Amino acid sequence: MLHPLINNGHIPVIASVAADEAGQSYNINADTVAGELAAALGAEKLILLTDVAGILEYRDDPNSLVKETDIAGVKKLIAEKKVAGGMIPKVNCCVRAIEQGVSTASIIDGRVQHSLLHEIMSEDGLGTMITA
């Protein structure tokens, strides 16, 4: 359903809502939906915009940004409880997308002006990049 839209130059906007067999609506975590879509569409990169700089090695220290890590490193940060709360679903969807073939996943601060352009167009990026 998405391929014809994308192939014709459209950018689909997708609501992360689903329904069960009885028609009951459910809000689905938007990061999870984005990760699954990235994998299903064969995306090279998944970028999640959030309200923090990325993964912080020390939650209370904004200067402890982890610029790049791999799946093993992320799992270690979770085990050490350095990644917690709302960041866990973001990190897990990045890991799942990478395990399904997405090359890299980045978590960046959407509050920073032009953060998405900076992430895409520069070598250093803004947030945390996760690789296989």
Side-chain angles (χ1 to χ4, degrees), residues 51-107:
D51 62 353
V52 295
I55 298 173
L56 302 177
E57 187 165 1
Y58 305 102
R59 274 184 273 170
D60 298 327
D61 181 2
N63 295 317
S64 68
L65 178 67
V66 176
K67 292 291 289 174
E68 186 173 341
T69 187
D70 59 14
I71 291 174
V74 163
K75 289 181 177 180
K76 181 178 181 209
L77 289 168
I78 292 172
E80 293 172 347
K81 305 217 184 297
K82 292 182 176 183
V83 172
M87 189 60 81
I88 291 175
K90 290 184 186 317
V91 169
N92 284 340
C93 89
C94 290
V95 168
R96 185 164 160 79
I98 292 167
E99 289 174 341
Q100 294 182 82
V102 175
S103 297
T104 65
S106 294
I107 301 172

Side-chain angles (χ1 to χ4, degrees), residues 10-63:
H10 298 282
I11 299 173
V13 176
I14 300 165
S16 59
V17 177
D20 64 16
E21 298 81 19
Q24 173 66 45
S25 296
Y26 295 96
N27 180 27
I28 308 298
N29 181 293
D31 296 325
T32 301
V33 171
E36 293 300 317
L37 280 170
L41 294 170
E44 181 180 323
K45 184 173 186 71
L46 169 66
I47 301 173
L48 301 180
L49 297 168
T50 188
D51 62 353
V52 295
I55 298 173
L56 302 177
E57 187 165 1
Y58 305 102
R59 274 184 273 170
D60 298 327
D61 181 2
N63 295 317

